[in-house]
Amino acid sequence: MSEAAYDRVRLARDSKRPTGLDYIRHIFRGFLEFHGDRRFADDPAIVGGVAWLGDEPVTVIAIEKGHTAKERTARNFGAPQPEGYRKALRLMKQAEKFGRPVICFVDTSGAFCGIGAEERGQGQAIAENLMEMSTLCVPVLSVLIGEGGSGGALALAVADRVWMLQNAVYSVISPEGCASILWKDADKAAEAAASLRLTAEDAKGLGVVERILSEDQLGEKVYYDRIRQLLEKELQTLMADDDLLQHRYDRFRRLGTGAVTEEFT
């Protein structure tokens, strides 16, 4: 059981998995990237801008890891800094102003924990995202496409719908970090992974996500077409919701009850 859970972690971290930019390029049209948080800098670990999903203009935001060693280094291995979260929030507030739905793709082991990030208010940046996203007056849909690590992932996942790929993981801490704290031994990461209940099935059973997305034909055109169709259909439902904020509030009040009706797709 412990190895099975840790196998999911290995799959979620695989450098060959589609990244946020892969989803943007294959699902959306006319993507126009915006840069910077208007305070300090542009964070390459978070990519965001406006695009078309079918006939609907949307704001799309993705945590980007990259594939090669060079790309991963340039993207800080998908570990955002505070300016990345502030850029994401700036784009969400812009989306609210113009009535555009927000779609987020999440793939991070966690927010960057360097001294500079802490000096520039990493914790506050994440907290502001959590607070602002909870009352955003446009639909928000987040998809966990790889790792969903701690507050670094949650900062883009306070949404009306949260979906999760079949082999993605979602956890308050990495298995290695958990093992180091509990047993002072990172080699017990597999045991920690099982205890953390970080798989897609665990998350759905707890009501943390609404839908598990099959990875059948992952990365192929038919796969992206299927994801696009699901996104279009879900956004139509959310945009027709006259009581969006109340339903978002109710969603988070139900967490942990297992009150999920969506199926594996």
Side-chain angles (χ1 to χ4, degrees), residues 19-22 24-25 31 33-37 40-49 60-88 90-91 105 107-108 110 112 117 120 122 156:
T19 65
L21 273 174
D22 293 323
I24 291 174
R25 290 164 179 160
F31 176 65
E33 184 178 357
F34 293 167
H35 296 274
D37 66 343
F40 180 75
D42 183 51
D43 184 358
I46 292 187
V47 177
V60 58
I61 302 166
I63 301 178
E64 173 63 22
K65 280 185 174 180
H67 291 288
T68 66
K70 183 177 180 179
E71 289 173 348
R72 292 201 160 196
T73 301
R75 300 286 180 180
N76 202 32
F77 298 88
Q81 307 212 37
E83 47 271 19
Y85 293 114
R86 292 182 180 125
K87 173 171 66 173
R90 179 173 74 83
L91 295 179
F105 294 97
D107 183 14
T108 180
F112 187 61
R120 297 193 302 278
Q122 184 73 287
L156 292 184

Side-chain angles (χ1 to χ4, degrees), residues 17 45 110 113 145 194 215 228 247:
R17 286 180 73 83
C113 56
I145 60 174
E215 296 189 12
R228 183 178 64 252
H247 291 154

Side-chain angles (χ1 to χ4, degrees), residues 39-262:
R39 297 189 191 182
F40 180 75
D42 183 51
D43 184 358
I46 292 187
V47 177
V50 295
W52 292 91
L53 179 64
D55 296 326
E56 187 66 39
V58 299
T59 289
V60 58
I61 302 166
I63 301 178
E64 173 63 22
K65 280 185 174 180
H67 291 288
T68 66
K70 183 177 180 179
E71 289 173 348
R72 292 201 160 196
T73 301
R75 300 286 180 180
N76 202 32
F77 298 88
Q81 307 212 37
E83 47 271 19
Y85 293 114
R86 292 182 180 125
K87 173 171 66 173
L89 182 57
R90 179 173 74 83
L91 295 179
M92 291 181 207
K93 297 300 287 184
Q94 181 193 76
E96 183 179 49
K97 178 179 179 180
F98 293 103
R100 292 191 298 264
V102 177
I103 300 174
C104 299
F105 294 97
V106 179
D107 183 14
T108 180
S109 59
F112 187 61
C113 56
I115 293 175
E118 296 299 331
E119 289 175 340
R120 297 193 302 278
Q122 184 73 287
Q124 182 180 10
I126 292 173
E128 286 178 349
N129 276 34
L130 304 184
M131 179 179 69
E132 294 288 349
M133 290 184 76
S134 67
T135 58
L136 210 62
C137 294
V138 290
V140 184
L141 197 158
S142 295
V143 185
L144 294 159
I145 60 174
E147 285 187 278
S150 191
L154 189 60
L156 292 184
V158 179
D160 301 291
R161 300 286 188 274
V162 179
W163 296 351
M164 195 168 173
L165 262 65
Q166 180 180 357
N167 291 314
V169 294
Y170 199 12
S171 175
V172 69
I173 191 173
S174 70
E176 294 83 2
C178 178
S180 296
I181 292 170
L182 292 183
W183 301 295
K184 312 299 181 186
D185 184 0
D187 289 338
K188 292 189 176 182
E191 185 177 346
S195 301
L196 285 167
R197 301 186 66 181
L198 44 66
T199 69
E201 290 81 6
D202 289 327
K204 188 169 183 292
L206 291 167
V208 174
V209 303
E210 280 77 24
R211 188 189 293 266
I212 300 174
L213 300 172
S214 168
E215 296 189 12
D216 185 39
Q217 297 176 293
L218 182 69
E220 298 182 17
K221 182 179 183 301
V222 65
Y223 168 78
Y224 291 116
D225 289 344
R226 176 166 55 86
I227 301 300
R228 183 178 64 252
Q229 291 167 7
L230 290 170
L231 290 172
E232 289 178 352
K233 181 178 179 181
E234 195 64 50
L235 282 187
Q236 288 176 1
T237 300
L238 291 172
M239 292 177 69
D241 189 347
D242 293 328
D243 208 1
L244 188 70
L245 292 184
Q246 182 61 50
H247 291 154
R248 188 182 303 156
Y249 172 83
D250 293 341
R251 177 191 185 276
F252 283 92
R253 291 291 292 176
R254 289 195 302 269
L255 288 189
T257 66
V260 173
T261 59
E262 297 277 4

